Amino acid sequence: MPIYEYHCPCCDLDFERLRPLSAADQSAACPKCQSESRRRVSQFASFSRGSSGELSAVGGGGSNCGGCSGSSCSTCH
Ligand SMILES: [Zn+2]
Protein backbone atom coordinates (compact mmCIF):
# COMPACT_ATOMS: atom_id res chain seq x y z
CA MET A 1 0.00 0.00 0.00
CA PRO A 2 1.26 3.48 -0.77
CA ILE A 3 1.84 6.05 1.92
CA TYR A 4 -0.04 9.32 1.70
CA GLU A 5 0.61 12.54 3.55
CA TYR A 6 -2.17 14.42 5.28
CA HIS A 7 -2.40 17.81 6.92
CA CYS A 8 -4.71 18.64 9.81
CA PRO A 9 -5.89 22.27 9.65
CA CYS A 10 -6.78 22.25 13.36
CA CYS A 11 -3.44 21.18 14.83
CA ASP A 12 -1.38 22.23 11.84
CA LEU A 13 -0.09 18.67 11.96
CA ASP A 14 1.32 16.64 9.12
CA PHE A 15 0.99 12.88 9.30
CA GLU A 16 1.21 9.86 7.05
CA ARG A 17 -1.19 7.01 6.46
CA LEU A 18 -0.88 3.72 4.66
CA ARG A 19 -3.92 3.49 2.46
CA PRO A 20 -5.11 1.44 -0.45
CA LEU A 21 -5.17 3.22 -3.78
CA SER A 22 -8.95 3.19 -3.74
CA ALA A 23 -8.95 5.38 -0.63
CA ALA A 24 -6.32 7.80 -1.86
CA ASP A 25 -8.74 10.68 -2.31
CA GLN A 26 -10.52 10.22 0.98
CA SER A 27 -9.76 12.32 4.01
CA ALA A 28 -8.08 10.79 7.06
CA ALA A 29 -8.70 11.36 10.74
CA CYS A 30 -6.08 13.41 12.52
CA PRO A 31 -4.23 11.26 15.12
CA LYS A 32 -4.49 14.12 17.63
CA CYS A 33 -7.94 15.66 17.28
CA GLN A 34 -9.67 13.18 14.94
CA SER A 35 -10.83 15.91 12.62
CA GLU A 36 -10.88 15.31 8.90
CA SER A 37 -7.57 16.03 7.27
CA ARG A 38 -6.98 16.48 3.62
CA ARG A 39 -4.32 14.72 1.66
CA ARG A 40 -1.24 16.72 0.88
CA VAL A 41 -0.02 16.63 -2.66
CA SER A 42 3.63 16.54 -1.81
CA GLN A 43 4.69 15.78 -5.33
CA PHE A 44 3.66 19.22 -6.52
CA ALA A 45 5.47 20.86 -3.63
CA SER A 46 8.63 19.03 -4.62
CA PHE A 47 8.26 20.09 -8.20
CA SER A 48 7.71 23.75 -7.41
CA ARG A 49 10.73 23.78 -5.13
CA GLY A 50 13.14 22.93 -7.90
CA SER A 51 13.67 25.92 -10.13
CA SER A 52 16.32 24.38 -12.31
CA GLY A 53 13.91 22.17 -14.19
CA GLU A 54 15.44 18.93 -13.05
CA LEU A 55 12.16 17.12 -12.63
CA SER A 56 13.81 13.73 -12.99
CA ALA A 57 15.52 14.20 -9.63
CA VAL A 58 12.17 13.93 -7.86
CA GLY A 59 10.96 10.42 -7.22
CA GLY A 60 13.75 8.73 -9.11
CA GLY A 61 11.86 6.04 -10.98
CA GLY A 62 8.84 8.13 -11.81
CA SER A 63 6.51 5.43 -10.50
CA ASN A 64 5.48 7.19 -7.31
CA CYS A 65 3.47 9.94 -8.90
CA GLY A 66 0.35 10.57 -6.82
CA GLY A 67 -1.66 11.87 -9.74
CA CYS A 68 -1.62 8.75 -11.88
CA SER A 69 -1.04 5.03 -11.69
CA GLY A 70 2.35 5.07 -13.35
CA SER A 71 4.34 7.65 -15.22
CA SER A 72 1.84 8.78 -17.78
CA CYS A 73 0.66 12.15 -16.50
CA SER A 74 2.22 15.53 -17.16
CA THR A 75 3.54 15.92 -13.61
CA CYS A 76 5.60 12.76 -13.63
CA HIS A 77 7.27 13.51 -16.91
ZN1 LIG B 1 -5.79 17.66 14.30
Side-chain angles (χ1 to χ4, degrees):
M1 274 191 286
I3 294 179
Y4 297 103
E5 291 184 347
Y6 295 86
H7 177 80
C8 174
C10 300
C11 325
D12 199 29
L13 176 75
D14 295 327
F15 59 98
E16 296 177 340
R17 278 290 151 83
L18 271 173
R19 310 207 100 187
L21 265 181
S22 56
D25 291 329
Q26 297 174 15
S27 57
C30 168
K32 268 175 138 182
C33 70
Q34 308 302 315
S35 66
E36 283 203 349
S37 306
R38 300 206 137 222
R39 183 160 70 98
R40 297 180 65 206
V41 188
S42 55
Q43 287 86 358
F44 293 122
S46 299
F47 279 127
S48 60
R49 220 180 288 133
S51 54
S52 56
E54 295 175 278
L55 295 183
S56 58
V58 180
S63 60
N64 58 350
C65 175
C68 67
S69 58
S71 57
S72 55
C73 73
S74 59
T75 55
C76 56
H77 182 55

